[in-house]
């Protein structure tokens, strides 16, 4: 809490103030109000509320700024955790159902068996995503009430649609797993379609809300800065929505594909080369390898969207202070004293990428007041990490694609399997780095150009303890999640949460 | 019937669904907790497991649905309530995480020790989560949430007599619902002994709930006068309906008519919640913020209503499909002429 030093003497105090320390809360935001700090003179026979009674009031201004680091770290941790499982929620159903369909079409028990194993893993991963998503829906209000209070009418709506999408997905994940031996193959695969569609739809809605924070549209502000004339449908389709969603959708398939492939890559390195393992590597790796080059193209699209709408974010991504015509593309390096050092420069690269013109002008951070610049190094390094890992994964995809195209088999060297084995963790790191880029790159704004993150944060006391508790809970959750997934990966036939146990 | 009330009504319908379906799930966990040691409690635990396995996730989405509708339709009131009540809400969310993860992971671990650990986490969080939600309701219902961001006391807003009553009632209602639902499930699967055991539990819980409810009248009168006036005035018919439904359910349980007992129990719980809503009318946050004042703009509410209608058309058949599928027995894989998966090679231990 910070107190603005404002003391004033009032006569005729409100009736609710009767003794020192009483509060009269006013305003909408938090604890803003008046504290009655001392009594002056009063007529002998009456309450304070009478004319001629004097007292001193202190104006208290609530400010959540002290809570900002705690709230941001809590949000970063919980979102960063959830997004990994959300990827599986988006992409895994499609991969599993495709494998099941392939198995039925080829009458191949190895493939249907693989699909069944994956379906069980999907059930566990979906549960982890669902419970972590529940905490997030609380946190939107608990940590960022200012955002909800002022803009909930505009951008709460996609979350409602996401709620429905998630509902449908939860129902049909239950149907898919529980119906494995209760529905004919055709009915089973048909009943899986809502799960596949709902997973992708849910991703669209959530990403559209984030895109709105980057490029707020679909409302007008009145003279006081209050939202009037909210158009929730229009707000969902701002300029960032499609590029951001496409980027995330592809990322989800890359993360899911590379991660599953990496599990089987490790198994093959340990000498298990049966058909189950070969197919378990081949199918998800093919999916991921197809998505990777597309993703790099979409990356260019999204960078252009950022350049058009959030020049400060782009300048931070590139670590560029001076507005430059014919700007170089910088790789790596550190941003010190408004200058990027130790980086590798590709002449005119940035102008080419952004404007498709070697002499295009790229605005730098100098255009933005100092208090409106994001922390450059975090954004620049995260962005470079994402691009570097993405490029490395493209290399892996190309290697796999070439060998497959020429010889219809996997590359035989152990180095290929080693590369596949680390590709899953690498894809996750790239995706997290991408989210760090966009979220930290938007700072200090929570709603770009309209509301600062520190204005949105809750002024409630004790958020530091909340963060500590979240760290403890998520450490335990991570540990047990890894234990269970490891058991599944080691090939012990386990049950999904939606399946029933056969008495042993 | 204004737009604001239509949207709030939809959110409230979601809350009722959460109380009935999610509540029964929590109650299952509570009976799991009270089932006794590994050997003695096995039958009860397996029954609970079988009954909520396929539906537990769908049952819990109702909560998310309620949250997102409230924060879109009543942003300011939502922000005020969750910031003041953030401690019980965070603890409830932790409970949901512990419960969901433990339930999902429990089948995937082999050792008895790990299973016991997950089982304990599942059962304990099943008890704590509804308690905290009940405490949140008590805080709102007793007018301890002023319509400002973090305007109320972050401790006394949920550590107070009405919240204690709300939390206790929530736990009891969950346990009661679960026992009634499990009676029917057990009998359907021919587990008559188990059905009798749950019937005893349901009757005992019903009596305790009734006693706490009666004692609660005094608590509300002292601690939440506005709500008390609403409940004994405008809300009285609904409260009486709840009492009648509860007593009828008790009679049906005694007569072992479990399907009818389910319906009347659900009606009793619904009536309690509706009574709370009627008692609070027209306020979203007692004693000053009305539903109309708290509602967001017209276009937002309209968009919400459209989404809710379309969503309902999709959701209801889906849910019915899940619940009917759930009644089917599994077939052996050969039944559909499926290829049977070859035995998988086991990995290294």
């Amino acid at each position: 809490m910070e107190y603005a030093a404002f003391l004033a003497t009032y006569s005729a105090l409100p009736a609710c103030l009767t003794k020192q320390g009483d509060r009269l809360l006013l305003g909408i935001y938090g604890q803003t109000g008046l504290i009655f700090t001392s009594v002056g003179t009063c007529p002998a026979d009456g309450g304070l509320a009478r004319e001629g009674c004097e007292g001193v009031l202190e104006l208290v201004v609530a400010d959540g700024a002290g809570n900002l680091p705690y709230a941001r770290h809590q949000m970063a941790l919980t979102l960063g955790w959830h997004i990994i499982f959300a990827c599986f929620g988006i992409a895994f159903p499609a991969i599993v159902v495709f494998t099941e369909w392939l198995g039925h079409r080829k009458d191949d028990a190895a493939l249907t068996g693989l699909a069944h194993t994956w379906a069980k893993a999907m059930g566990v991963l979906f549960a982890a995503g669902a419970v972590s998503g529940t905490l997030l829906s609380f946190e939107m209000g608990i940590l960022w009430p200012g955002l909800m209070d002022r803009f909930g009418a505009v951008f709460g709506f996609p979350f409602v649609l996401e709620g429905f999408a998630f509902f449908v997905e939860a129902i049909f994940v239950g149907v898919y797993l529980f119906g494995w031996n209760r529905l004919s193959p055709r009915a089973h695969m048909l009943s899986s379609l809502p799960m596949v569609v709902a997973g992708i739809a849910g991703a669209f809605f959530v990403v559209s809300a984030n895109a709105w924070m980057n490029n707020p549209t679909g409302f007008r502000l009145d003279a006081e800065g209050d939202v009037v004339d909210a158009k929730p449908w229009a707000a969902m389709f701002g300029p960032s929505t499609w590029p951001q969603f496409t980027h995330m959708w592809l990322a989800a398939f890359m993360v899911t594909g590379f991660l599953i492939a990496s599990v089987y890559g490790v198994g093959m390195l340990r000498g298990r080369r049966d058909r189950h393992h070969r197919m378990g590597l081949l199918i998800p790796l093919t999916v991921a390898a197809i998505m990777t080059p597309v993703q790099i193209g979409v990356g260019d699209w999204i960078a252009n969207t950022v350049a058009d709408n959030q020049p400060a974010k782009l300048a931070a991504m590139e670590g560029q202070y001076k507005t430059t015509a014919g700007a170089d593309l910088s790789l790596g390096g550190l941003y010190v004293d408004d200058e990027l050092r130790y980086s590798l420069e590709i002449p005119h690269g940035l102008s080419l990428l952004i404007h498709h013109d070697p002499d295009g002008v790229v605005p730098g951070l100098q255009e933005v007041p100092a208090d409106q610049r994001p922390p450059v190094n975090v954004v620049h390094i995260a962005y470079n990490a994402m691009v570097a890992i993405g490029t490395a994964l493209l290399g892996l995809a190309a290697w796999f694609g070439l060998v497959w195209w020429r010889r219809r088999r996997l590359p035989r060297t152990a180095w290929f399997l080693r590369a596949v084995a680390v590709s899953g963790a690498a894809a996750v790191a790239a995706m997290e780095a991408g989210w760090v880029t966009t979220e930290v790159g938007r700072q200090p704004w929570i709603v770009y150009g309209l509301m600062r993150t520190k204005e949105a944060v809750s002024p409630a006391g004790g958020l530091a303890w909340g963060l500590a508790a979240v760290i403890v809970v998520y450490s335990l959750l991570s540990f047990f999640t890894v234990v269970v997934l490891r058991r599944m990966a080691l090939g012990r036939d386990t049950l999904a949460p939606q399946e029933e146990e056969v008495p042993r | 019937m204004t737009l604001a009330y239509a949207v709030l009504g939809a959110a409230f319908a979601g809350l009722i669904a959460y109380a009935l379906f999610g509540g029964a799930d929590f109650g299952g966990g509570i009976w799991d907790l009270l089932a006794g040691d590994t050997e003695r409690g096995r039958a009860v635990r397996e029954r609970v497991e079988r009954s909520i396995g396929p539906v537990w996730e769908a049952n819990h989405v109702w909560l998310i649905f309620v949250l997102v509708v409230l924060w879109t339709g009543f942003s300011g009131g939502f922000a005020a309530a969750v910031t003041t009540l953030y401690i019980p809400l965070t603890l409830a969310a932790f409970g949901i995480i512990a419960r969901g993860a433990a339930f999902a992971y429990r089948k995937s671990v082999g050792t008895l020790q790990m299973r016991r650990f997950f089982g304990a986490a599942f059962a304990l969080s099943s008890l704590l989560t509804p308690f905290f939600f009940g405490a949140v309701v008590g805080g709102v219902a007793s007018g301890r949430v002023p319509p400002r961001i973090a305007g109320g006391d972050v401790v006394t807003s949920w550590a107070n007599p009405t919240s204690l009553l709300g939390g206790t009632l929530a736990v009891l209602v969950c346990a009661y619902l679960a026992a009634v639902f499990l009676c029917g499930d057990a009998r359907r699967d021919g587990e008559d002994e188990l059905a009798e055991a749950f019937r005893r539990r349901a009757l005992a819980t019903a009596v305790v709930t009734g006693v706490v409810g009666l004692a609660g009248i005094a608590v509300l009168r002292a601690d939440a006068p506005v709500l008390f006036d609403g409940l004994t005035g405008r809300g009285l018919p609904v409260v009486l309906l709840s009492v009648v439904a509860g007593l009828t359910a008790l009679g049906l349980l005694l007569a072992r008519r479990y399907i009818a007992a389910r319906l009347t129990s659900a009606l009793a719980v619904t009536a309690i919640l509706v009574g709370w809503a009627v008692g609070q009318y027209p306020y979203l946050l007692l004693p000053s913020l009305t539903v109309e004042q708290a509602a967001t703009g017209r276009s937002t509410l309209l968009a919400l209503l459209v989404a809710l209608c379309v969503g309902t058309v999709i959701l209801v058949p889906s849910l019915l499909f899940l619940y009917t599928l759930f009644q089917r027995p599994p077939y052996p894989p050969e039944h559909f002429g499926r290829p049977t998966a070859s035995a998988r090679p086991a990995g290294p231990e």
Side-chain angles (χ1 to χ4, degrees), chain B residues 84-274:
Chain B
T84 292
L85 293 160
Y86 86 92
I87 297 174
L89 285 169
T90 303
L91 292 171
F94 286 166
I96 287 171
I97 289 176
R99 184 174 187 280
F103 186 77
Y105 298 174
R106 152 158 91 162
K107 294 172 184 174
S108 309
V109 292
T111 60
L112 183 63
Q113 217 175 353
M114 275 290 247
R115 280 179 168 241
R116 273 190 187 150
F117 173 79
F118 281 139
F122 162 73
L124 200 64
S125 45
S126 296
L127 180 77
L128 292 175
T129 308
F131 179 84
F132 287 124
F133 280 135
V136 165
V137 170
V140 173
S142 57
R144 286 180 165 91
V145 180
R148 286 178 308 276
I149 289 173
D153 190 299
V154 294
V155 177
T156 60
S157 60
W158 59 279
N160 60 69
T162 306
S163 286
L164 184 66
L165 173 72
T168 311
L169 273 178
V171 170
L172 288 168
V173 163
C174 289
Y176 170 74
L177 279 175
V180 175
F181 287 9
L182 288 165
C183 276
D185 279 3
R187 194 169 61 180
R188 188 196 61 214
D189 294 349
E191 302 161 331
D192 289 339
E193 215 172 298
L194 208 53
E196 284 301 303
F198 280 119
R199 176 171 164 266
R200 283 192 300 276
R201 287 175 167 83
L203 290 168
T205 319
V207 172
V208 176
T209 311
V211 171
V212 171
L214 285 172
I217 295 172
V219 174
L220 289 183
R221 195 174 158 185
D223 195 54
V226 180
L227 182 72
F228 179 79
D229 291 347
L231 285 174
T232 50
R234 200 180 321 104
L236 195 60
V238 190
V239 175
L240 290 176
L241 172 67
S242 171
V243 173
V244 171
L247 290 172
T248 313
L250 213 56
L252 290 165
L253 273 174
L254 286 168
R256 294 190 175 75
R257 293 183 49 195
Y258 296 140
I259 303 290
R262 260 184 207 201
L263 294 172
T264 42
S265 303
L267 178 65
V269 173
T270 305
I272 294 173
L273 287 168
V274 173

Side-chain angles (χ1 to χ4, degrees), chain A residues 401-451:
Chain A
L402 269 173
V403 174
W404 186 262
W405 176 57
R406 305 274 296 264
R407 305 215 165 81
R408 286 282 174 262
R409 60 165 175 78
L410 290 172
R412 286 211 173 113
T413 156
W415 281 107
F416 174 76
L417 290 177
R418 285 179 195 131
V420 172
V422 297
S423 68
V428 171
M431 175 195 58
E432 298 282 6
W435 275 108
V436 168
T437 304
T438 192
E439 288 297 285
V440 178
R442 198 188 55 238
Q443 301 305 325
W445 305 102
I446 193 165
V447 180
Y448 192 67
L450 291 176
M451 184 180 217

Side-chain angles (χ1 to χ4, degrees), chain B residues 270-310:
Chain B
T270 305
I272 294 173
L273 287 168
V274 173
W276 165 45
V278 174
Q280 256 198 243
Y281 177 88
Y283 297 106
L284 185 73
L285 294 176
L286 296 166
S288 58
L289 185 73
T290 65
V291 171
E292 295 289 353
Q293 288 166 337
T296 47
R298 189 183 156 76
S299 53
T300 303
L301 295 174
L302 268 176
L304 260 173
L305 269 187
V306 171
L308 290 169
C309 292
V310 175

